[in-house]
Amino acid sequence: MRKLFFLLMLWPCVAGAVPQEGDAVLFLRAQVRVPTAVLTLGDVARIEAPAERLPALASLAIGVVPPAGATREIGREELQRWIDTAGQDLGQVQWRGNASVRVARKTAALDADAVLKVAQDAARQALQARFEEFSVEAAGNPLPDVVSAGVFELRARPVAASDTLASRLVVWVELWQKGQLYRAVPVALKVRAMAPVLRVNAGLPAGASVSMADVTVEQRDVAALVGAYWPADEPLGAVRTRQAVAPGAVLLRSQLDALPDVERGDQVALRVRAGTVTIETTAQAMQDGWANRTLRVLPANATDTIQALSLIHISEPTRPERI
């Protein structure tokens, strides 16, 4: 009688461990290495289920795969919650195998040479539009050793055109996999670009007018300059130095200002309009001024300055009426 009671008590436990007809059985793996960014139930478990239920279970997304070099531990309880909260009824499942699974990203060595070539090609394409003589070399910055396994499409981001060219140029190369951006890596390049520039013959003080007689055209590596240079093929026009320029220096745009249309101390005509009434008098410019910009003037027989808009009507060496 005691043996019979023991068998009756044991039977419910054994019966609960046997999958019912139609139940899916999931054999959880100990560890997996996944090449894709999205993790699915089929990645972490071997699934035995009726044919009509197997695809939905296997393709159930259960989060993301950790980045290269990291791992993610997932237990049965978390996986069961993914199943229970799925957008469709996936039925009952029975668990077998391990209590948890360790997930890592399947990696492969990054083809650094291919990445460097894409970056160099992008830099050369941008430079050849402006320079006839230039060179682009690797600057030696470290790139990632490994990336997600699989085939990547390498795309260089456009290299922005700028008047200022630095000797160190960074080109971002994007790694695309299956139509999705995986990551972008910066590639540092050493750039050398030769162009004709204007070298100052003798030192120029601040405020000095500059003409082609003050400079000599010569070839320089403009990537080594500290700012945007004044191209030799661009006329200097009416310009003056903003600050003192040392002899032998390359003329930079930041060192020059356009000559003012009105200079401080000039006598100008001052017109004040109120409706149809116009009053005209003379005034003295208290600062340099340019067309269509305001400047301070001192009207005749006045003690206080006023702001006036500079309007250039006639261009003559004698500087006729300006205001």
Side-chain angles (χ1 to χ4, degrees):
M1 187 67 177
R2 181 177 298 174
K3 290 182 180 181
L4 179 60
F5 176 76
F6 176 76
L7 290 174
L8 289 174
M9 291 297 293
L10 182 61
W11 171 249
C13 300
V14 176
V18 176
Q20 302 299 311
E21 184 178 356
D23 284 358
V25 181
L26 278 62
F27 297 85
L28 192 60
R29 299 182 172 97
Q31 59 182 9
V32 293
R33 296 172 64 85
V34 183
T36 57
V38 178
L39 188 65
T40 65
L41 190 60
D43 292 326
V44 300
R46 179 172 62 85
I47 304 174
E48 294 181 0
E52 66 275 9
R53 292 178 56 199
L54 184 58
L57 283 167
S59 61
L60 176 64
I62 55 173
V64 297
V65 178
T71 59
R72 176 186 172 194
E73 193 83 18
I74 308 176
R76 291 184 181 180
E77 295 80 5
E78 181 179 347
L79 295 173
Q80 185 65 55
R81 286 196 297 271
W82 283 104
I83 296 172
D84 294 340
T85 57
Q88 57 183 312
D89 184 10
L90 299 178
Q92 297 297 316
V93 300
Q94 297 290 336
W95 291 98
R96 299 288 186 271
N98 295 276
S100 64
V101 58
R102 177 169 295 180
V103 180
R105 179 70 65 97
K106 188 176 182 180
T107 58
L110 175 66
D111 189 346
D113 291 338
V115 173
L116 177 60
K117 183 180 184 304
V118 169
Q120 288 178 320
D121 289 346
R124 291 190 183 103
Q125 185 177 1
L127 292 172
Q128 70 183 6
R130 297 175 54 194
F131 305 100
E132 294 183 0
E133 182 183 349
F134 61 87
S135 63
V136 179
E137 300 177 358
N141 70 306
L143 297 175
D145 294 326
V146 295
V147 293
S148 176
V151 178
F152 284 99
E153 178 189 359
L154 304 179
R155 305 179 190 174
R157 291 177 182 173
V159 179
S162 173
D163 289 340
T164 304
L165 178 65
S167 58
R168 182 181 175 89
L169 176 66
V170 175
V171 178
W172 285 86
V173 178
E174 297 177 345
L175 281 63
W176 288 77
Q177 190 177 62
K178 296 181 179 179
Q180 292 186 329
L181 176 62
Y182 168 67
R183 68 176 298 179
V185 295
V187 181
L189 304 171
K190 291 188 297 184
V191 175
R192 182 173 177 269
M194 304 299 294
V197 299
L198 301 179
R199 177 180 58 82
V200 176
N201 297 328
L204 297 171
S209 297
V210 185
S211 68
M212 291 302 294
D214 300 311
V215 297
T216 300
V217 178
E218 65 178 37
Q219 289 284 114
R220 287 284 187 93
D221 176 14
V222 295
L225 300 178
V226 295
Y229 64 98
W230 192 286
D233 58 355
E234 183 177 330
L236 280 171
V239 294
R240 66 181 182 181
T241 54
R242 183 177 295 176
Q243 68 261 354
V245 183
V250 173
L251 206 55
L252 305 178
R253 289 192 180 277
S254 61
Q255 296 170 330
L256 301 177
D257 272 330
L259 284 175
D261 297 305
V262 177
E263 291 185 354
R264 180 178 180 180
D266 279 355
Q267 291 295 318
V268 297
L270 177 64
R271 295 190 183 97
V272 180
R273 293 186 179 92
T276 59
V277 178
T278 299
I279 301 175
E280 183 172 337
T281 185
T282 60
Q284 183 181 18
M286 304 304 292
Q287 64 183 120
D288 294 341
W290 288 263
N292 301 315
R293 290 167 60 180
T294 60
L295 75 156
R296 289 186 302 109
V297 298
L298 179 65
N301 303 319
T303 57
D304 295 326
T305 61
I306 62 173
Q307 291 285 337
L309 179 65
S310 177
L311 300 174
I312 307 304
H313 299 295
I314 304 173
S315 178
E316 296 181 1
T318 56
R319 298 181 181 271
E321 57 188 42
R322 299 290 185 173
I323 304 297

Short mmCIF file of all heavy atoms in Angstrom, two decimals, residues 147-181:
data_model
loop_
_atom_site.label_atom_id
_atom_site.label_comp_id
_atom_site.label_asym_id
_atom_site.label_seq_id
_atom_site.Cartn_x
_atom_site.Cartn_y
_atom_site.Cartn_z
N VAL A 147 35.01 44.07 -35.94
CA VAL A 147 33.65 44.56 -36.14
C VAL A 147 32.74 43.36 -36.25
O VAL A 147 33.19 42.21 -36.27
CB VAL A 147 33.54 45.44 -37.41
CG1 VAL A 147 34.30 46.73 -37.24
CG2 VAL A 147 34.02 44.68 -38.63
N SER A 148 31.46 43.61 -36.35
CA SER A 148 30.51 42.53 -36.53
C SER A 148 30.83 41.74 -37.80
O SER A 148 31.23 42.31 -38.82
CB SER A 148 29.09 43.10 -36.63
OG SER A 148 28.15 42.08 -36.90
N ALA A 149 30.69 40.44 -37.73
CA ALA A 149 30.99 39.60 -38.88
C ALA A 149 29.99 39.86 -39.99
O ALA A 149 28.85 40.26 -39.75
CB ALA A 149 30.94 38.12 -38.46
N GLY A 150 30.43 39.67 -41.20
CA GLY A 150 29.56 39.87 -42.35
C GLY A 150 30.18 40.81 -43.36
O GLY A 150 31.27 41.36 -43.16
N VAL A 151 29.47 41.01 -44.45
CA VAL A 151 29.95 41.86 -45.54
C VAL A 151 29.49 43.30 -45.29
O VAL A 151 28.31 43.54 -45.01
CB VAL A 151 29.41 41.37 -46.90
CG1 VAL A 151 29.88 42.28 -48.02
CG2 VAL A 151 29.88 39.93 -47.14
N PHE A 152 30.41 44.25 -45.39
CA PHE A 152 30.10 45.66 -45.17
C PHE A 152 30.27 46.44 -46.47
O PHE A 152 31.15 46.14 -47.29
CB PHE A 152 31.02 46.27 -44.11
CG PHE A 152 30.68 45.87 -42.71
CD1 PHE A 152 31.38 44.86 -42.07
CD2 PHE A 152 29.65 46.50 -42.02
CE1 PHE A 152 31.08 44.49 -40.78
CE2 PHE A 152 29.34 46.14 -40.73
CZ PHE A 152 30.05 45.13 -40.10
N GLU A 153 29.42 47.46 -46.62
CA GLU A 153 29.60 48.45 -47.66
C GLU A 153 30.20 49.68 -47.01
O GLU A 153 29.66 50.20 -46.02
CB GLU A 153 28.27 48.81 -48.32
CG GLU A 153 28.39 49.88 -49.39
CD GLU A 153 27.05 50.38 -49.89
OE1 GLU A 153 26.01 49.88 -49.41
OE2 GLU A 153 27.05 51.29 -50.74
N LEU A 154 31.32 50.15 -47.52
CA LEU A 154 32.02 51.29 -46.95
C LEU A 154 31.63 52.56 -47.70
O LEU A 154 31.73 52.62 -48.93
CB LEU A 154 33.54 51.09 -47.01
CG LEU A 154 34.06 49.81 -46.36
CD1 LEU A 154 35.57 49.71 -46.52
CD2 LEU A 154 33.67 49.75 -44.89
N ARG A 155 31.19 53.58 -46.96
CA ARG A 155 30.80 54.85 -47.56
C ARG A 155 31.49 55.98 -46.81
O ARG A 155 31.37 56.09 -45.59
CB ARG A 155 29.29 55.07 -47.49
CG ARG A 155 28.44 53.97 -48.09
CD ARG A 155 26.97 54.32 -47.92
NE ARG A 155 26.08 53.21 -48.26
CZ ARG A 155 24.76 53.23 -48.09
NH1 ARG A 155 24.18 54.32 -47.58
NH2 ARG A 155 24.02 52.17 -48.41
N ALA A 156 32.21 56.83 -47.53
CA ALA A 156 32.83 58.00 -46.91
C ALA A 156 31.85 59.15 -46.87
O ALA A 156 31.13 59.40 -47.83
CB ALA A 156 34.08 58.40 -47.68
N ARG A 157 31.79 59.82 -45.75
CA ARG A 157 30.97 61.01 -45.66
C ARG A 157 31.62 62.12 -46.49
O ARG A 157 32.84 62.18 -46.60
CB ARG A 157 30.82 61.46 -44.20
CG ARG A 157 29.98 60.50 -43.37
CD ARG A 157 29.90 60.94 -41.93
NE ARG A 157 29.14 59.99 -41.13
CZ ARG A 157 29.02 60.04 -39.80
NH1 ARG A 157 29.63 61.00 -39.13
NH2 ARG A 157 28.32 59.13 -39.15
N PRO A 158 30.83 63.02 -47.07
CA PRO A 158 31.40 64.08 -47.91
C PRO A 158 32.41 64.92 -47.13
O PRO A 158 32.20 65.24 -45.96
CB PRO A 158 30.18 64.91 -48.32
CG PRO A 158 29.01 63.97 -48.18
CD PRO A 158 29.35 63.06 -47.04
N VAL A 159 33.49 65.25 -47.79
CA VAL A 159 34.51 66.12 -47.20
C VAL A 159 34.11 67.56 -47.48
O VAL A 159 34.00 67.96 -48.64
CB VAL A 159 35.90 65.82 -47.77
CG1 VAL A 159 36.94 66.75 -47.16
CG2 VAL A 159 36.28 64.35 -47.51
N ALA A 160 33.85 68.32 -46.44
CA ALA A 160 33.36 69.69 -46.60
C ALA A 160 34.42 70.58 -47.23
O ALA A 160 35.59 70.53 -46.85
CB ALA A 160 32.94 70.26 -45.24
N ALA A 161 33.99 71.35 -48.22
CA ALA A 161 34.89 72.31 -48.85
C ALA A 161 35.00 73.54 -47.96
O ALA A 161 34.00 74.06 -47.47
CB ALA A 161 34.36 72.70 -50.22
N SER A 162 36.22 74.00 -47.74
CA SER A 162 36.45 75.15 -46.87
C SER A 162 37.65 75.93 -47.37
O SER A 162 38.57 75.37 -47.97
CB SER A 162 36.68 74.68 -45.42
OG SER A 162 37.06 75.76 -44.60
N ASP A 163 37.63 77.25 -47.12
CA ASP A 163 38.78 78.07 -47.49
C ASP A 163 40.00 77.69 -46.66
O ASP A 163 41.14 77.87 -47.09
CB ASP A 163 38.46 79.55 -47.28
CG ASP A 163 37.48 80.07 -48.32
OD1 ASP A 163 37.34 79.42 -49.37
OD2 ASP A 163 36.84 81.10 -48.07
N THR A 164 39.76 77.20 -45.45
CA THR A 164 40.86 76.81 -44.57
C THR A 164 41.10 75.32 -44.69
O THR A 164 40.20 74.51 -44.45
CB THR A 164 40.53 77.18 -43.11
OG1 THR A 164 40.24 78.57 -43.02
CG2 THR A 164 41.71 76.85 -42.21
N LEU A 165 42.32 74.95 -45.06
CA LEU A 165 42.68 73.55 -45.20
C LEU A 165 43.74 73.22 -44.17
O LEU A 165 44.80 73.86 -44.12
CB LEU A 165 43.21 73.28 -46.61
CG LEU A 165 43.68 71.85 -46.90
CD1 LEU A 165 42.50 70.88 -46.82
CD2 LEU A 165 44.35 71.78 -48.26
N ALA A 166 43.47 72.24 -43.32
CA ALA A 166 44.42 71.84 -42.28
C ALA A 166 45.30 70.70 -42.78
O ALA A 166 44.90 69.92 -43.65
CB ALA A 166 43.68 71.42 -41.02
N SER A 167 46.49 70.60 -42.22
CA SER A 167 47.40 69.53 -42.61
C SER A 167 46.92 68.17 -42.11
O SER A 167 47.37 67.14 -42.60
CB SER A 167 48.80 69.81 -42.08
OG SER A 167 48.78 69.94 -40.66
N ARG A 168 46.04 68.17 -41.13
CA ARG A 168 45.44 66.92 -40.63
C ARG A 168 43.94 66.96 -40.94
O ARG A 168 43.23 67.83 -40.45
CB ARG A 168 45.69 66.76 -39.13
CG ARG A 168 45.13 65.45 -38.55
CD ARG A 168 45.39 65.40 -37.05
NE ARG A 168 44.79 64.24 -36.42
CZ ARG A 168 45.37 63.06 -36.27
NH1 ARG A 168 46.59 62.89 -36.72
NH2 ARG A 168 44.75 62.06 -35.67
N LEU A 169 43.51 66.03 -41.74
CA LEU A 169 42.12 65.98 -42.18
C LEU A 169 41.50 64.67 -41.68
O LEU A 169 42.10 63.61 -41.81
CB LEU A 169 42.04 66.05 -43.70
CG LEU A 169 40.67 65.91 -44.35
CD1 LEU A 169 39.78 67.10 -43.99
CD2 LEU A 169 40.80 65.80 -45.86
N VAL A 170 40.30 64.75 -41.11
CA VAL A 170 39.59 63.57 -40.62
C VAL A 170 38.41 63.29 -41.54
O VAL A 170 37.56 64.16 -41.75
CB VAL A 170 39.11 63.74 -39.17
CG1 VAL A 170 38.27 62.53 -38.74
CG2 VAL A 170 40.29 63.92 -38.24
N VAL A 171 38.38 62.09 -42.09
CA VAL A 171 37.28 61.65 -42.95
C VAL A 171 36.54 60.53 -42.23
O VAL A 171 37.16 59.55 -41.78
CB VAL A 171 37.79 61.14 -44.32
CG1 VAL A 171 36.62 60.64 -45.17
CG2 VAL A 171 38.54 62.25 -45.05
N TRP A 172 35.23 60.65 -42.12
CA TRP A 172 34.42 59.63 -41.46
C TRP A 172 33.97 58.61 -42.51
O TRP A 172 33.42 58.96 -43.55
CB TRP A 172 33.20 60.24 -40.79
CG TRP A 172 33.55 60.96 -39.51
CD1 TRP A 172 33.97 62.25 -39.38
CD2 TRP A 172 33.53 60.40 -38.20
NE1 TRP A 172 34.21 62.54 -38.06
CE2 TRP A 172 33.95 61.43 -37.31
CE3 TRP A 172 33.21 59.16 -37.68
CZ2 TRP A 172 34.04 61.23 -35.93
CZ3 TRP A 172 33.29 58.96 -36.31
CH2 TRP A 172 33.71 59.99 -35.45
N VAL A 173 34.22 57.34 -42.21
CA VAL A 173 33.83 56.24 -43.10
C VAL A 173 32.74 55.43 -42.41
O VAL A 173 32.94 54.94 -41.29
CB VAL A 173 35.02 55.34 -43.46
CG1 VAL A 173 34.58 54.18 -44.34
CG2 VAL A 173 36.10 56.16 -44.17
N GLU A 174 31.60 55.30 -43.07
CA GLU A 174 30.47 54.57 -42.51
C GLU A 174 30.51 53.11 -42.96
O GLU A 174 30.83 52.82 -44.11
CB GLU A 174 29.16 55.20 -42.94
CG GLU A 174 28.98 56.63 -42.44
CD GLU A 174 27.71 57.28 -42.95
OE1 GLU A 174 27.11 56.75 -43.90
OE2 GLU A 174 27.33 58.32 -42.38
N LEU A 175 30.18 52.21 -42.04
CA LEU A 175 30.10 50.79 -42.33
C LEU A 175 28.63 50.39 -42.38
O LEU A 175 27.93 50.45 -41.35
CB LEU A 175 30.84 49.96 -41.26
CG LEU A 175 32.36 49.89 -41.34
CD1 LEU A 175 33.01 51.27 -41.17
CD2 LEU A 175 32.91 48.91 -40.29
N TRP A 176 28.15 50.03 -43.57
CA TRP A 176 26.75 49.65 -43.77
C TRP A 176 26.66 48.15 -43.98
O TRP A 176 27.48 47.55 -44.69
CB TRP A 176 26.17 50.37 -44.98
CG TRP A 176 25.93 51.83 -44.73
CD1 TRP A 176 26.85 52.83 -44.70
CD2 TRP A 176 24.67 52.45 -44.46
NE1 TRP A 176 26.26 54.03 -44.44
CE2 TRP A 176 24.92 53.84 -44.29
CE3 TRP A 176 23.37 51.98 -44.36
CZ2 TRP A 176 23.90 54.75 -44.01
CZ3 TRP A 176 22.36 52.88 -44.09
CH2 TRP A 176 22.62 54.24 -43.91
N GLN A 177 25.66 47.54 -43.34
CA GLN A 177 25.45 46.10 -43.45
C GLN A 177 23.96 45.83 -43.61
O GLN A 177 23.15 46.25 -42.78
CB GLN A 177 25.99 45.38 -42.21
CG GLN A 177 26.04 43.87 -42.32
CD GLN A 177 26.65 43.23 -41.10
OE1 GLN A 177 26.13 43.36 -39.99
NE2 GLN A 177 27.77 42.54 -41.29
N LYS A 178 23.60 45.21 -44.72
CA LYS A 178 22.21 44.88 -45.02
C LYS A 178 21.30 46.10 -44.96
O LYS A 178 20.21 46.08 -44.39
CB LYS A 178 21.71 43.79 -44.07
CG LYS A 178 22.43 42.46 -44.22
CD LYS A 178 21.88 41.40 -43.29
CE LYS A 178 22.61 40.06 -43.47
NZ LYS A 178 22.09 39.01 -42.55
N GLY A 179 21.80 47.21 -45.52
CA GLY A 179 20.99 48.42 -45.61
C GLY A 179 20.90 49.22 -44.33
O GLY A 179 20.18 50.21 -44.27
N GLN A 180 21.65 48.84 -43.28
CA GLN A 180 21.62 49.55 -42.02
C GLN A 180 23.02 50.03 -41.66
O GLN A 180 24.01 49.33 -41.90
CB GLN A 180 21.06 48.68 -40.89
CG GLN A 180 19.58 48.34 -41.04
CD GLN A 180 19.04 47.60 -39.82
OE1 GLN A 180 19.77 46.87 -39.16
NE2 GLN A 180 17.76 47.78 -39.53
N LEU A 181 23.09 51.23 -41.06
CA LEU A 181 24.36 51.77 -40.62
C LEU A 181 24.80 51.04 -39.35
O LEU A 181 24.12 51.08 -38.33
CB LEU A 181 24.25 53.27 -40.36
CG LEU A 181 25.50 53.96 -39.80
CD1 LEU A 181 26.66 53.84 -40.77
CD2 LEU A 181 25.20 55.41 -39.48
#
